[in-house]
Amino acid sequence: MAVKLFGKVLIATDGSENNRSALEEGIKVVRECGGAGYAVYVIDSRTLSTSSAEIPVGDACEVSMEEAKKAFDLLKSMSGDVKFETKILDGRPGMEIVKFAEKEGIDLIVIGTKGKKGLERLLLGSVAEEVIRSATCKVLVVK
């Protein structure tokens, strides 16, 4: 009888093209390990209120919710028979990903090196960096 290497795998997604490789790798890990798949999308509502004076906060929240839905739809279309529990979180992305992982007893977090702010950091995205520094479980960073 095979032992599950990772019983619970969390994929952090932002729906960006930069994140696609992380989705692919995370799906592979869940499929190969036969574990439970989780996916989170974090809306940083702090940035919504300061993003633009021309866009009302309510509209910005609605746009963010729609982006989350698209990110989860992409995951679903890529994952085939592998099922994922999805969750939209609110707060600072790195911190919320780590808190969710701890709460759910996640064994592995899969995250991309760059997301929507691909040029924000030269080598490693700030969210990925925070997750690596703060997570108590293993982290797979996908380029």
mmCIF file of all heavy atoms in Angstrom, residues 10 94-95 97-102 106-111 127-141:
data_model
loop_
_atom_site.group_PDB
_atom_site.id
_atom_site.type_symbol
_atom_site.label_atom_id
_atom_site.label_comp_id
_atom_site.label_asym_id
_atom_site.label_seq_id
_atom_site.Cartn_x
_atom_site.Cartn_y
_atom_site.Cartn_z
ATOM 1 N N LEU A 10 -2.111 22.621 -1.465
ATOM 2 C CA LEU A 10 -2.737 23.921 -1.690
ATOM 3 C C LEU A 10 -2.055 24.625 -2.860
ATOM 4 O O LEU A 10 -0.830 24.760 -2.869
ATOM 5 C CB LEU A 10 -2.604 24.790 -0.438
ATOM 6 C CG LEU A 10 -3.015 26.261 -0.567
ATOM 7 C CD1 LEU A 10 -4.491 26.394 -0.886
ATOM 8 C CD2 LEU A 10 -2.661 27.025 0.690
ATOM 9 N N GLY A 94 0.285 36.781 0.985
ATOM 10 C CA GLY A 94 1.210 35.828 1.586
ATOM 11 C C GLY A 94 0.760 35.343 2.942
ATOM 12 O O GLY A 94 0.765 34.143 3.243
ATOM 13 N N MET A 95 0.342 36.272 3.773
ATOM 14 C CA MET A 95 -0.088 35.949 5.124
ATOM 15 C C MET A 95 -1.356 35.086 5.111
ATOM 16 O O MET A 95 -1.482 34.124 5.869
ATOM 17 C CB MET A 95 -0.334 37.237 5.922
ATOM 18 C CG MET A 95 -0.632 36.998 7.374
ATOM 19 S SD MET A 95 -0.600 38.497 8.380
ATOM 20 C CE MET A 95 -1.773 39.543 7.538
ATOM 21 N N ILE A 97 -2.437 33.072 2.716
ATOM 22 C CA ILE A 97 -2.118 31.739 2.200
ATOM 23 C C ILE A 97 -1.543 30.884 3.331
ATOM 24 O O ILE A 97 -1.957 29.732 3.541
ATOM 25 C CB ILE A 97 -1.147 31.830 1.009
ATOM 26 C CG1 ILE A 97 -1.852 32.459 -0.194
ATOM 27 C CG2 ILE A 97 -0.575 30.451 0.650
ATOM 28 C CD1 ILE A 97 -0.914 32.932 -1.295
ATOM 29 N N VAL A 98 -0.614 31.427 4.080
ATOM 30 C CA VAL A 98 0.020 30.703 5.184
ATOM 31 C C VAL A 98 -1.003 30.382 6.273
ATOM 32 O O VAL A 98 -1.043 29.253 6.785
ATOM 33 C CB VAL A 98 1.216 31.497 5.743
ATOM 34 C CG1 VAL A 98 1.727 30.891 7.046
ATOM 35 C CG2 VAL A 98 2.331 31.561 4.710
ATOM 36 N N LYS A 99 -1.844 31.343 6.644
ATOM 37 C CA LYS A 99 -2.868 31.101 7.674
ATOM 38 C C LYS A 99 -3.828 29.991 7.239
ATOM 39 O O LYS A 99 -4.178 29.118 8.028
ATOM 40 C CB LYS A 99 -3.647 32.393 7.966
ATOM 41 C CG LYS A 99 -2.900 33.341 8.858
ATOM 42 C CD LYS A 99 -3.555 34.671 9.134
ATOM 43 C CE LYS A 99 -5.013 34.825 8.972
ATOM 44 N NZ LYS A 99 -5.497 36.210 9.212
ATOM 45 N N PHE A 100 -4.256 30.027 5.969
ATOM 46 C CA PHE A 100 -5.155 28.994 5.465
ATOM 47 C C PHE A 100 -4.474 27.629 5.526
ATOM 48 O O PHE A 100 -5.089 26.642 5.942
ATOM 49 C CB PHE A 100 -5.583 29.311 4.023
ATOM 50 C CG PHE A 100 -6.526 28.302 3.446
ATOM 51 C CD1 PHE A 100 -7.893 28.421 3.637
ATOM 52 C CD2 PHE A 100 -6.051 27.222 2.707
ATOM 53 C CE1 PHE A 100 -8.773 27.481 3.107
ATOM 54 C CE2 PHE A 100 -6.914 26.285 2.179
ATOM 55 C CZ PHE A 100 -8.288 26.411 2.374
ATOM 56 N N ALA A 101 -3.217 27.566 5.109
ATOM 57 C CA ALA A 101 -2.480 26.297 5.110
ATOM 58 C C ALA A 101 -2.384 25.721 6.522
ATOM 59 O O ALA A 101 -2.573 24.512 6.721
ATOM 60 C CB ALA A 101 -1.090 26.499 4.508
ATOM 61 N N GLU A 102 -2.104 26.562 7.489
ATOM 62 C CA GLU A 102 -1.999 26.093 8.869
ATOM 63 C C GLU A 102 -3.347 25.613 9.392
ATOM 64 O O GLU A 102 -3.443 24.560 10.022
ATOM 65 C CB GLU A 102 -1.431 27.195 9.758
ATOM 66 C CG GLU A 102 0.043 27.450 9.494
ATOM 67 C CD GLU A 102 0.607 28.644 10.247
ATOM 68 O OE1 GLU A 102 -0.161 29.357 10.945
ATOM 69 O OE2 GLU A 102 1.824 28.878 10.127
ATOM 70 N N ILE A 106 -2.399 21.775 5.714
ATOM 71 C CA ILE A 106 -1.847 21.557 4.371
ATOM 72 C C ILE A 106 -0.419 21.011 4.492
ATOM 73 O O ILE A 106 0.363 21.468 5.315
ATOM 74 C CB ILE A 106 -1.854 22.877 3.563
ATOM 75 C CG1 ILE A 106 -3.286 23.392 3.370
ATOM 76 C CG2 ILE A 106 -1.117 22.737 2.235
ATOM 77 C CD1 ILE A 106 -4.196 22.521 2.539
ATOM 78 N N ASP A 107 -0.087 20.032 3.642
ATOM 79 C CA ASP A 107 1.249 19.430 3.626
ATOM 80 C C ASP A 107 2.188 20.116 2.643
ATOM 81 O O ASP A 107 3.404 20.100 2.831
ATOM 82 C CB ASP A 107 1.150 17.945 3.246
ATOM 83 C CG ASP A 107 0.297 17.169 4.221
ATOM 84 O OD1 ASP A 107 0.595 17.213 5.436
ATOM 85 O OD2 ASP A 107 -0.673 16.523 3.784
ATOM 86 N N LEU A 108 1.630 20.700 1.578
ATOM 87 C CA LEU A 108 2.443 21.333 0.544
ATOM 88 C C LEU A 108 1.690 22.511 -0.054
ATOM 89 O O LEU A 108 0.528 22.367 -0.441
ATOM 90 C CB LEU A 108 2.774 20.335 -0.574
ATOM 91 C CG LEU A 108 3.549 20.883 -1.774
ATOM 92 C CD1 LEU A 108 4.989 21.217 -1.384
ATOM 93 C CD2 LEU A 108 3.529 19.891 -2.931
ATOM 94 N N ILE A 109 2.364 23.653 -0.149
ATOM 95 C CA ILE A 109 1.826 24.824 -0.842
ATOM 96 C C ILE A 109 2.550 24.921 -2.176
ATOM 97 O O ILE A 109 3.784 24.866 -2.219
ATOM 98 C CB ILE A 109 2.062 26.125 -0.049
ATOM 99 C CG1 ILE A 109 1.358 26.081 1.305
ATOM 100 C CG2 ILE A 109 1.596 27.343 -0.866
ATOM 101 C CD1 ILE A 109 1.727 27.230 2.239
ATOM 102 N N VAL A 110 1.797 25.067 -3.253
ATOM 103 C CA VAL A 110 2.375 25.271 -4.581
ATOM 104 C C VAL A 110 2.064 26.702 -4.993
ATOM 105 O O VAL A 110 0.902 27.116 -4.989
ATOM 106 C CB VAL A 110 1.793 24.279 -5.618
ATOM 107 C CG1 VAL A 110 2.421 24.513 -6.989
ATOM 108 C CG2 VAL A 110 1.994 22.840 -5.163
ATOM 109 N N ILE A 111 3.120 27.440 -5.342
ATOM 110 C CA ILE A 111 2.956 28.854 -5.672
ATOM 111 C C ILE A 111 3.921 29.212 -6.795
ATOM 112 O O ILE A 111 5.002 28.640 -6.894
ATOM 113 C CB ILE A 111 3.183 29.735 -4.413
ATOM 114 C CG1 ILE A 111 2.769 31.184 -4.661
ATOM 115 C CG2 ILE A 111 4.609 29.619 -3.897
ATOM 116 C CD1 ILE A 111 2.644 32.013 -3.391
ATOM 117 N N VAL A 127 4.909 37.794 -2.850
ATOM 118 C CA VAL A 127 3.988 36.870 -2.184
ATOM 119 C C VAL A 127 4.675 35.525 -1.978
ATOM 120 O O VAL A 127 4.635 34.952 -0.882
ATOM 121 C CB VAL A 127 2.672 36.710 -2.984
ATOM 122 C CG1 VAL A 127 1.795 35.629 -2.363
ATOM 123 C CG2 VAL A 127 1.923 38.032 -3.043
ATOM 124 N N ALA A 128 5.321 35.015 -3.011
ATOM 125 C CA ALA A 128 6.034 33.739 -2.887
ATOM 126 C C ALA A 128 7.102 33.828 -1.805
ATOM 127 O O ALA A 128 7.267 32.908 -0.992
ATOM 128 C CB ALA A 128 6.654 33.345 -4.223
ATOM 129 N N GLU A 129 7.812 34.923 -1.764
ATOM 130 C CA GLU A 129 8.862 35.104 -0.766
ATOM 131 C C GLU A 129 8.280 35.075 0.644
ATOM 132 O O GLU A 129 8.830 34.427 1.542
ATOM 133 C CB GLU A 129 9.598 36.418 -1.009
ATOM 134 C CG GLU A 129 10.756 36.635 -0.078
ATOM 135 C CD GLU A 129 11.521 37.909 -0.372
ATOM 136 O OE1 GLU A 129 11.242 38.582 -1.378
ATOM 137 O OE2 GLU A 129 12.397 38.236 0.440
ATOM 138 N N GLU A 130 7.170 35.751 0.856
ATOM 139 C CA GLU A 130 6.549 35.762 2.181
ATOM 140 C C GLU A 130 6.066 34.369 2.572
ATOM 141 O O GLU A 130 6.211 33.955 3.727
ATOM 142 C CB GLU A 130 5.388 36.756 2.224
ATOM 143 C CG GLU A 130 4.777 36.877 3.593
ATOM 144 C CD GLU A 130 3.732 37.975 3.712
ATOM 145 O OE1 GLU A 130 3.392 38.617 2.710
ATOM 146 O OE2 GLU A 130 3.260 38.178 4.838
ATOM 147 N N VAL A 131 5.504 33.632 1.613
ATOM 148 C CA VAL A 131 5.035 32.271 1.902
ATOM 149 C C VAL A 131 6.213 31.383 2.280
ATOM 150 O O VAL A 131 6.154 30.639 3.265
ATOM 151 C CB VAL A 131 4.249 31.697 0.700
ATOM 152 C CG1 VAL A 131 3.977 30.208 0.893
ATOM 153 C CG2 VAL A 131 2.937 32.457 0.507
ATOM 154 N N ILE A 132 7.294 31.461 1.526
ATOM 155 C CA ILE A 132 8.477 30.648 1.828
ATOM 156 C C ILE A 132 8.983 30.946 3.234
ATOM 157 O O ILE A 132 9.316 30.037 3.993
ATOM 158 C CB ILE A 132 9.591 30.910 0.793
ATOM 159 C CG1 ILE A 132 9.183 30.354 -0.565
ATOM 160 C CG2 ILE A 132 10.918 30.305 1.250
ATOM 161 C CD1 ILE A 132 10.055 30.849 -1.707
ATOM 162 N N ARG A 133 9.052 32.209 3.588
ATOM 163 C CA ARG A 133 9.588 32.610 4.893
ATOM 164 C C ARG A 133 8.668 32.237 6.056
ATOM 165 O O ARG A 133 9.128 31.986 7.165
ATOM 166 C CB ARG A 133 9.840 34.104 4.929
ATOM 167 C CG ARG A 133 10.965 34.544 4.024
ATOM 168 C CD ARG A 133 11.176 36.058 4.147
ATOM 169 N NE ARG A 133 12.084 36.566 3.150
ATOM 170 C CZ ARG A 133 13.407 36.528 3.240
ATOM 171 N NH1 ARG A 133 13.959 35.962 4.284
ATOM 172 N NH2 ARG A 133 14.158 37.035 2.283
ATOM 173 N N SER A 134 7.358 32.190 5.821
ATOM 174 C CA SER A 134 6.407 32.056 6.913
ATOM 175 C C SER A 134 5.741 30.689 7.044
ATOM 176 O O SER A 134 5.251 30.351 8.132
ATOM 177 C CB SER A 134 5.301 33.106 6.763
ATOM 178 O OG SER A 134 5.844 34.395 6.677
ATOM 179 N N ALA A 135 5.696 29.923 5.977
ATOM 180 C CA ALA A 135 4.964 28.658 6.002
ATOM 181 C C ALA A 135 5.627 27.634 6.932
ATOM 182 O O ALA A 135 6.854 27.566 7.015
ATOM 183 C CB ALA A 135 4.850 28.080 4.603
ATOM 184 N N THR A 136 4.801 26.861 7.600
ATOM 185 C CA THR A 136 5.311 25.787 8.459
ATOM 186 C C THR A 136 5.340 24.467 7.707
ATOM 187 O O THR A 136 5.897 23.493 8.209
ATOM 188 C CB THR A 136 4.449 25.655 9.729
ATOM 189 O OG1 THR A 136 3.093 25.439 9.357
ATOM 190 C CG2 THR A 136 4.553 26.919 10.575
ATOM 191 N N CYS A 137 4.741 24.418 6.517
ATOM 192 C CA CYS A 137 4.761 23.215 5.704
ATOM 193 C C CYS A 137 5.740 23.408 4.541
ATOM 194 O O CYS A 137 6.335 24.480 4.386
ATOM 195 C CB CYS A 137 3.360 22.895 5.175
ATOM 196 S SG CYS A 137 2.692 24.133 4.047
ATOM 197 N N LYS A 138 5.866 22.393 3.712
ATOM 198 C CA LYS A 138 6.743 22.488 2.547
ATOM 199 C C LYS A 138 6.116 23.405 1.501
ATOM 200 O O LYS A 138 4.890 23.506 1.414
ATOM 201 C CB LYS A 138 7.001 21.118 1.958
ATOM 202 C CG LYS A 138 7.785 20.253 2.904
ATOM 203 C CD LYS A 138 8.065 18.901 2.338
ATOM 204 C CE LYS A 138 8.860 18.165 3.409
ATOM 205 N NZ LYS A 138 9.365 16.912 3.037
ATOM 206 N N VAL A 139 6.980 24.063 0.719
ATOM 207 C CA VAL A 139 6.519 24.978 -0.323
ATOM 208 C C VAL A 139 7.235 24.620 -1.621
ATOM 209 O O VAL A 139 8.458 24.518 -1.634
ATOM 210 C CB VAL A 139 6.819 26.456 0.043
ATOM 211 C CG1 VAL A 139 6.354 27.392 -1.062
ATOM 212 C CG2 VAL A 139 6.179 26.835 1.376
ATOM 213 N N LEU A 140 6.458 24.431 -2.668
ATOM 214 C CA LEU A 140 6.996 24.211 -4.003
ATOM 215 C C LEU A 140 6.794 25.497 -4.793
ATOM 216 O O LEU A 140 5.662 25.936 -5.001
ATOM 217 C CB LEU A 140 6.282 23.055 -4.703
ATOM 218 C CG LEU A 140 6.603 22.817 -6.180
ATOM 219 C CD1 LEU A 140 8.081 22.516 -6.378
ATOM 220 C CD2 LEU A 140 5.732 21.703 -6.744
ATOM 221 N N VAL A 141 7.910 26.119 -5.178
ATOM 222 C CA VAL A 141 7.848 27.365 -5.951
ATOM 223 C C VAL A 141 8.113 27.002 -7.402
ATOM 224 O O VAL A 141 9.134 26.396 -7.720
ATOM 225 C CB VAL A 141 8.880 28.396 -5.446
ATOM 226 C CG1 VAL A 141 8.785 29.667 -6.255
ATOM 227 C CG2 VAL A 141 8.659 28.677 -3.968
#
